[in-house]
Amino acid sequence: MTGMEMFGDNSFSSPCNTLGFLQKNNSLEEKGRLAGQKNLLSCDNSDRDARFRRTETDFSNLFARDLLPTRSNMASGQVTHASLTSCLLAWTLLVWLESGSPPPPTPTCKFTYEIAPVFVLMEQLTLKKMREMIGWPNGEGDGLFSPGGAISNMYSVMIARYKYFPEVKTKGMSAAPRLVLFTSEHSHYSIKKAGAALGFGTDNVILLSTDERGRVIPADLEAKILDAKQKGYVPLFVNATAGSTVYGAFDPISEIADICEKYNLWLHVDGAWGGGLLMSRKHRHKLNGIERANSVTWNPHKMMGVPLQCSAILVREKGILAGCNSMCAGYLFQPDKQYDVTYDTGDKAIQCGRHVDIFKFWLMWKAKGTAGFEQHIDKCLDLSQYLYNKIKNREGYEMVFDGVPQHTNVCFWYIPPSLRGMPDGDERREKLHRVAPKIKAMMMESGTTMVGYQPQGNKVNFFRMVVSNPSATQSDIDFLIDEIERLGHDL
Amino acid sequence: MTGMEMFGDNSFSSPCNTLGFLQKNNSLEEKGRLAGQKNLLSCDNSDRDARFRRTETDFSNLFARDLLPTRSNMASGQVTHASLTSCLLAWTLLVWLESGSPPPPTPTCKFTYEIAPVFVLMEQLTLKKMREMIGWPNGEGDGLFSPGGAISNMYSVMIARYKYFPEVKTKGMSAAPRLVLFTSEHSHYSIKKAGAALGFGTDNVILLSTDERGRVIPADLEAKILDAKQKGYVPLFVNATAGSTVYGAFDPISEIADICEKYNLWLHVDGAWGGGLLMSRKHRHKLNGIERANSVTWNPHKMMGVPLQCSAILVREKGILAGCNSMCAGYLFQPDKQYDVTYDTGDKAIQCGRHVDIFKFWLMWKAKGTAGFEQHIDKCLDLSQYLYNKIKNREGYEMVFDGVPQHTNVCFWYIPPSLRGMPDGDERREKLHRVAPKIKAMMMESGTTMVGYQPQGNKVNFFRMVVSNPSATQSDIDFLIDEIERLGHDL
């Protein structure tokens, strides 16, 4: 439950105390400049040097310094989220509404602190809170928001490679032995995509067997590590999925972490889909062991309802993200700026300018609180359990796996009456394989609802119902089942 | 000027004629279903099967089929941008405003056609128009919107590798010889980042010398290709920059293309910054030869003023993007869907879900027309020339390179009076190096304006003024110069 207590209410406490001293030269009088001001837009600038005069093209009375925590207000803990919010509103007025005026830079871009100071701070403190929820001591570590879980997972493979074979950055993959990555046969395809893109090759992404619930079998991981080593390959990286795409399965992270420690491998947890459960006291045990991971993907744009795109890659070791990716472009990252350039986060990314994904998440978290996310998540899981309970013994349904789903994924076949008496065999399988596509097509024609289907391994097409919208109700679930039966009855 | 004529006015002509037949089974009556309807939200559904009844949870009268071009309306050319706009508005009402209702998928996500049909179509037709402007015959080819120019450039390296060494996808970089990439010493650092990330190694990213204006010297490229071959390396890829980051230089694409053809290399044009000039009859000659490129990066979020993020990777050869990146994930890309699944674009990307970057660009293009973008671009270039003319002979200024800038980048030193008489040498260089940082810091303190600086090669810190906002005026430029002189006078 590390980190939960700090999130029980709706506030972040003195976040900027952790952010360091941003300005190198705070020689001007700072009293009351940021915190405690009644109105940032009417602050008194009479103490300023004549060179800092306002002019008619100046679009507000806000100073750049007003966006910076200063030595005095940080010492007194005055820079709170409330003042950050004030800054944001002021900055919004300053730039967004005035974007017709040159030359303010677009604030919807993040690579240096001067371009998007408020958003850089928001990103840093939010990432820290996420790391605290993972359970890393004091929320220490590193991270970035990236354009989606696939890219976050790609980062994890890149930094694992950099950790063990930093010379690959300059010399390429030929400087390393044959490296192999391990991930569940049920894991998201982005791990394989990363293997292809980054030059490992998909043949070197070894798929791990799972139990009947879609969870990695730790003994299979160890056997495959030993097999790879025997062939002379070098095991590098293990991905444990927290919330698999189809079954919603949570791999046993602690047991996988034991094996990673034993063989000195990088452990990544892909919590793109299941990471949100860290917000729930009832369900976060499914991610036990995540604090032992070296890196974590967590997409607030999935289970937590933040509009796409909002994905975080979180890293336990500080500095490795920059080490892996920095190119020190002279035109962006000048060491002789007048503020602490460790806040210029852009060089840690494989992107240059980044879309501001943090703002909507930060604002939602402020509005709902951790408790609100917890309610959201618990409700969705309750609802999927309602669906499971409704159909598990209902005539015409078969579950794809037994037992209450770990996440909100409910996987099932609808068996039309014409197939119910048929013995299992190729004919029934072929017919059943065509049922879900037909029903989905009719749903799309009808426009009433839509639910996805897919095959998995040797299992023919089945429905996968996923709940992530907390405004869904039991009657919506009832309606879905009614629709399936109405549309599928005569197939 | 290929493609320009088609863009002279504010309309796209019958774009859906090029989109192919989307629905496999259009058995229901289609007359008047999409084009020609007065009001999509009150369309008559009386001809439908009873199974397709409306219910109380149905949030509109819009059918999924209403979003699809049908055989009849495509044959008659009735599906125009106007009807696509109607579809969009209807779809907006259908999903965005009703997002509290389950289970509509979020439309701010693109990987399959069923999830975001309108946006998929918008993306396809807009990419086609961009390819026409590049000059590829009939706008044929492929492409994607990606989360920024760095990722688009990364795509270009990936697909070049896949084109020549497809086995790297499965076997990794060890299946290929030592591959080298070529790019200007003035090019964006994302090419080097891609080299590091994708397993080439930055040592294998060979930097090309430039002339005094920052343009690649073709003879240097050829010499370095021969040098690499002599060492036993395999030249793979050349990046030509169209609008370099610092100088705004345009590499001579035609001469580089000659060399690429001679040695059978992939030619990529990084037009992230300069691609917008294709919209200008006056300036597009700077990109002459771009039609010979194999791939092009073009960021409408830069010169064209589309809010970040909006970057396109455009590829001349169709199918290679999918070949390079597809993993055929069963849970998303089922071949047995009821529509033409070539519209499921997600598997071409290294991402899974993608942010909808196309809408704002499409809407801007519809609103401004190509002529509007052309005015925007011409005005920005005029304004930068005004700045150049103003300072080129002004006391206290030195230009970083001679002549009218090719793009809107105006690079210059401000020489404070205290340095004006000083002979060139280390002391003056060291002092001059500190001038721009000091003035920029004072600008930030003052809050009146901000202009970036950087060193470049052996040149000490200089200002780089870039104009991309068409609402800037000559008086803003005058003000900038006044501010530099006011703040820097006593340094």
Side-chain angles (χ1 to χ4, degrees):
Chain A
M1 299 295 289
T2 316
M4 282 299 295
E5 290 74 16
M6 302 188 62
F7 279 75
D9 68 5
N10 210 352
S11 67
F12 294 74
S13 58
S14 302
C16 289
N17 283 334
T18 64
L19 290 175
F21 182 66
L22 284 170
Q23 270 195 304
K24 286 185 185 163
N25 306 302
N26 264 319
S27 57
L28 299 175
E29 175 60 38
E30 329 210 79
K31 181 163 51 79
R33 288 217 48 75
L34 182 56
Q37 275 180 355
K38 285 284 187 296
N39 182 354
L40 273 167
L41 298 179
S42 64
C43 57
D44 176 20
N45 300 312
S46 58
D47 59 341
R48 290 186 167 262
D49 186 307
R51 282 198 297 194
F52 305 131
R53 62 175 162 79
R54 309 281 89 194
T55 75
E56 72 283 358
T57 61
D58 177 27
F59 33 74
S60 89
N61 287 314
L62 191 69
F63 285 69
R65 286 166 39 86
D66 294 330
L67 298 171
L68 306 177
T70 56
R71 200 187 297 278
S72 62
N73 62 32
M74 289 187 57
S76 63
Q78 284 176 300
V79 181
T80 63
H81 242 59
S83 59
L84 199 55
T85 307
S86 302
C87 285
L88 174 77
L89 293 173
W91 185 244
T92 302
L93 289 169
L94 178 70
V95 179
W96 288 2
L97 304 182
E98 298 277 352
S99 62
S101 303
T106 169
T108 58
C109 180
K110 274 185 313 194
F111 41 81
T112 62
Y113 180 77
E114 65 207 337
I115 290 290
V118 173
F119 296 129
V120 166
L121 296 182
M122 271 184 188
E123 185 177 69
Q124 296 219 355
L125 75 89
T126 306
L127 288 168
K128 183 174 195 297
K129 292 295 171 187
M130 294 173 87
R131 291 190 299 261
E132 285 173 358
M133 300 197 84
I134 287 169
W136 291 333
N138 300 316
E140 288 295 316
D142 210 337
L144 275 177
F145 281 83
S146 95
I151 304 279
S152 292
N153 284 341
M154 180 185 277
Y155 271 115
S156 74
V157 178
M158 286 172 62
I159 53 182
R161 180 176 66 185
Y162 182 75
K163 173 70 178 175
Y164 289 93
F165 298 95
E167 62 275 20
V168 169
K169 181 178 179 180
T170 51
K171 306 217 171 299
M173 285 296 271
S174 62
R178 182 165 167 174
L179 303 174
V180 290
L181 318 173
F182 300 89
T183 192
S184 159
E185 60 187 5
H186 275 245
S187 68
H188 191 260
Y189 68 100
S190 53
I191 300 291
K192 264 178 101 168
K193 279 210 180 189
L198 303 179
F200 293 84
T202 53
D203 289 352
N204 297 309
V205 181
I206 311 286
L207 299 185
L208 304 173
S209 302
T210 59
D211 65 18
E212 71 292 348
R213 298 287 302 260
R215 297 170 299 205
V216 157
I217 299 167
D220 187 63
L221 168 62
E222 184 156 20
K224 283 173 175 160
I225 289 170
L226 292 172
D227 182 57
K229 287 165 84 82
Q230 201 177 21
K231 287 175 179 155
Y233 310 156
V234 176
L236 176 76
F237 168 100
V238 178
N239 172 58
T241 303
S244 66
T245 312
V246 178
Y247 285 14
F250 287 77
D251 288 338
I253 302 175
S254 282
E255 290 164 80
I256 292 172
D258 289 341
I259 296 169
C260 288
E261 278 175 18
K262 183 172 173 186
Y263 295 98
N264 190 28
L265 308 185
W266 185 278
L267 173 59
H268 176 68
V269 172
D270 177 4
W273 171 224
L277 271 60
L278 290 169
M279 296 273 186
S280 161
R281 283 167 290 195
K282 186 173 170 188
H283 296 288
R284 66 168 283 140
H285 68 89
K286 294 167 186 172
L287 295 105
N288 277 351
I290 193 171
E291 71 283 357
R292 297 170 67 187
N294 298 96
S295 55
V296 172
T297 291
W298 176 355
N299 290 11
H301 75 218
K302 287 198 161 70
M303 191 59 203
M304 291 159 65
V306 178
L308 190 144
Q309 60 191 39
C310 188
S311 169
I313 172 68
L314 299 140
V315 187
R316 194 167 64 189
E317 183 177 330
K318 206 165 185 166
I320 195 167
L321 207 46
C324 176
N325 293 316
S326 67
M327 295 289 155
C328 302
Y331 84 98
L332 284 177
F333 308 112
Q334 304 90 27
D336 48 4
K337 288 180 183 170
Q338 99 280 24
Y339 59 88
D340 178 351
V341 294
T342 61
Y343 286 87
D344 286 354
T345 56
D347 215 15
K348 295 197 285 193
I350 55 170
Q351 300 181 265
C352 181
R354 285 186 295 139
H355 187 255
V356 173
D357 300 322
I358 185 58
F359 179 46
K360 55 202 171 191
F361 179 34
W362 177 86
L363 199 62
M364 264 177 95
W365 205 339
K366 287 295 290 178
K368 300 177 68 152
T370 305
F373 279 124
E374 181 179 42
Q375 278 172 19
H376 170 152
I377 286 156
D378 288 354
K379 182 171 176 211
C380 290
L381 278 133
D382 285 351
L383 210 55
S384 64
Q385 190 165 352
Y386 173 82
L387 171 59
Y388 167 75
N389 288 334
K390 182 178 174 107
I391 61 174
K392 67 178 173 179
N393 297 317
R394 189 181 181 95
E395 188 182 7
Y397 291 83
E398 283 178 28
M399 305 311 293
V400 174
F401 55 83
D402 293 330
V404 178
Q406 289 189 284
H407 206 319
T408 72
N409 310 44
V410 182
C411 298
F412 61 93
W413 289 281
Y414 170 70
I415 321 287
S418 66
L419 298 184
R420 287 183 198 166
M422 194 177 287
D424 199 10
D426 284 351
E427 189 191 345
R428 183 176 185 275
R429 282 173 52 83
E430 281 163 26
K431 287 190 166 168
L432 186 55
H433 188 58
R434 291 195 296 269
V435 168
K438 280 184 189 160
I439 292 176
K440 183 182 170 196
M442 287 189 284
M443 285 174 169
M444 290 175 74
E445 291 285 330
S446 173
T448 51
T449 188
M450 186 161 79
V451 58
Y453 69 84
Q454 66 283 298
Q456 172 81 36
N458 62 357
K459 293 181 160 66
V460 300
N461 279 325
F462 55 86
F463 283 120
R464 173 184 61 126
M465 178 63 193
V466 174
V467 180
S468 62
N469 184 338
S471 66
T473 61
Q474 294 187 352
S475 72
D476 294 313
I477 299 292
D478 294 340
F479 174 75
L480 174 73
I481 295 302
D482 287 348
E483 281 295 276
I484 288 174
E485 295 178 358
R486 182 174 70 86
L487 298 168
H489 191 267
D490 298 335
L491 292 178
Chain B
M1 300 294 288
T2 314
M4 281 300 296
E5 291 71 17
M6 303 186 61
F7 279 75
D9 68 4
N10 210 354
S11 66
F12 293 75
S13 58
S14 301
C16 289
N17 283 334
T18 62
L19 290 175
F21 184 65
L22 284 170
Q23 270 194 306
K24 285 186 186 164
N25 303 303
N26 265 319
S27 57
L28 299 175
E29 174 59 38
E30 333 209 75
K31 180 164 49 82
R33 290 216 50 75
L34 181 56
Q37 275 180 358
K38 284 285 187 296
N39 181 353
L40 272 167
L41 298 179
S42 63
C43 57
D44 176 20
N45 300 311
S46 59
D47 59 339
R48 288 184 169 266
D49 186 305
R51 281 198 298 192
F52 305 129
R53 65 179 159 76
R54 310 281 88 195
T55 74
E56 72 283 358
T57 61
D58 176 29
F59 33 73
S60 90
N61 287 314
L62 191 69
F63 285 69
R65 285 165 40 85
D66 294 330
L67 298 171
L68 305 178
T70 56
R71 198 185 299 277
S72 62
N73 61 34
M74 287 187 58
S76 63
Q78 286 177 297
V79 181
T80 62
H81 242 60
S83 59
L84 199 55
T85 308
S86 302
C87 284
L88 176 77
L89 294 174
W91 184 245
T92 303
L93 288 169
L94 179 70
V95 179
W96 289 0
L97 303 182
E98 298 278 353
S99 61
S101 302
T106 170
T108 57
C109 179
K110 274 185 314 194
F111 41 81
T112 62
Y113 180 76
E114 66 207 337
I115 290 291
V118 173
F119 297 129
V120 166
L121 295 181
M122 272 184 188
E123 186 177 68
Q124 297 218 354
L125 75 88
T126 307
L127 288 169
K128 183 174 194 300
K129 291 295 171 189
M130 294 173 87
R131 290 190 301 260
E132 284 173 0
M133 301 198 83
I134 287 169
W136 291 334
N138 300 315
E140 288 296 315
D142 210 338
L144 274 177
F145 282 84
S146 94
I151 304 279
S152 292
N153 285 341
M154 180 186 278
Y155 271 115
S156 74
V157 179
M158 286 171 63
I159 54 181
R161 180 176 65 186
Y162 181 75
K163 173 70 177 174
Y164 290 93
F165 298 94
E167 62 275 21
V168 169
K169 181 176 178 180
T170 51
K171 307 217 171 301
M173 286 294 271
S174 60
R178 182 165 167 175
L179 304 174
V180 290
L181 318 173
F182 300 89
T183 192
S184 159
E185 61 188 3
H186 275 244
S187 68
H188 191 259
Y189 67 99
S190 53
I191 301 292
K192 264 177 103 169
K193 279 209 180 188
L198 304 179
F200 293 82
T202 53
D203 288 352
N204 297 310
V205 182
I206 311 287
L207 298 185
L208 304 173
S209 302
T210 58
D211 65 17
E212 71 292 347
R213 298 285 302 259
R215 297 170 298 203
V216 158
I217 300 167
D220 187 64
L221 168 62
E222 184 155 20
K224 283 174 175 159
I225 289 170
L226 292 172
D227 183 57
K229 288 167 83 84
Q230 200 177 22
K231 288 176 179 157
Y233 311 156
V234 176
L236 175 77
F237 169 100
V238 178
N239 173 58
T241 303
S244 66
T245 313
V246 177
Y247 285 14
F250 287 78
D251 288 339
I253 301 176
S254 283
E255 290 164 80
I256 293 172
D258 289 340
I259 296 169
C260 288
E261 279 176 17
K262 183 171 173 187
Y263 295 98
N264 190 28
L265 308 185
W266 185 278
L267 172 59
H268 176 67
V269 172
D270 177 3
W273 171 223
L277 271 60
L278 290 169
M279 296 273 186
S280 162
R281 283 167 291 194
K282 184 173 171 190
H283 296 289
R284 65 167 285 140
H285 68 89
K286 295 168 186 172
L287 295 104
N288 278 352
I290 192 171
E291 71 283 357
R292 298 170 67 188
N294 299 96
S295 55
V296 172
T297 292
W298 176 355
N299 290 10
H301 75 220
K302 286 197 162 70
M303 192 59 204
M304 291 160 64
V306 179
L308 190 145
Q309 61 190 43
C310 188
S311 170
I313 172 70
L314 299 141
V315 187
R316 195 168 63 190
E317 182 177 330
K318 205 163 186 166
I320 196 169
L321 207 44
C324 178
N325 293 315
S326 67
M327 295 289 155
C328 301
Y331 83 98
L332 285 177
F333 308 111
Q334 304 90 28
D336 48 4
K337 288 180 182 170
Q338 97 281 22
Y339 60 88
D340 178 350
V341 294
T342 62
Y343 286 87
D344 286 354
T345 55
D347 215 16
K348 294 197 287 194
I350 54 170
Q351 300 182 265
C352 181
R354 285 185 296 139
H355 188 254
V356 173
D357 300 322
I358 184 59
F359 180 45
K360 56 202 171 193
F361 179 34
W362 177 87
L363 199 62
M364 265 177 94
W365 205 340
K366 286 296 289 178
K368 299 177 70 151
T370 304
F373 279 125
E374 181 178 42
Q375 279 172 18
H376 170 151
I377 286 157
D378 287 353
K379 183 172 177 207
C380 290
L381 278 132
D382 286 351
L383 210 55
S384 64
Q385 191 165 351
Y386 173 82
L387 171 59
Y388 167 76
N389 288 334
K390 182 178 175 106
I391 61 175
K392 67 177 173 182
N393 296 317
R394 190 182 181 93
E395 187 181 9
Y397 291 83
E398 284 178 26
M399 305 311 293
V400 174
F401 55 84
D402 292 332
V404 178
Q406 291 188 283
H407 206 322
T408 72
N409 309 46
V410 182
C411 298
F412 62 92
W413 288 281
Y414 171 71
I415 320 286
S418 65
L419 298 184
R420 287 182 199 168
M422 194 177 289
D424 200 12
D426 284 352
E427 190 191 344
R428 183 177 184 273
R429 283 174 52 81
E430 281 163 26
K431 286 189 168 167
L432 186 56
H433 189 57
R434 290 196 296 270
V435 168
K438 279 183 191 160
I439 292 176
K440 183 182 170 196
M442 286 189 286
M443 285 174 169
M444 290 175 75
E445 292 285 331
S446 172
T448 52
T449 188
M450 186 161 80
V451 58
Y453 69 85
Q454 67 283 298
Q456 173 82 35
N458 61 358
K459 294 183 160 67
V460 301
N461 280 323
F462 54 85
F463 284 119
R464 175 183 59 125
M465 178 63 193
V466 174
V467 180
S468 63
N469 184 338
S471 66
T473 62
Q474 294 186 353
S475 72
D476 293 313
I477 299 292
D478 295 340
F479 174 75
L480 174 73
I481 295 302
D482 287 348
E483 281 294 277
I484 288 173
E485 295 177 359
R486 182 174 69 86
L487 297 168
H489 190 268
D490 298 335
L491 291 178

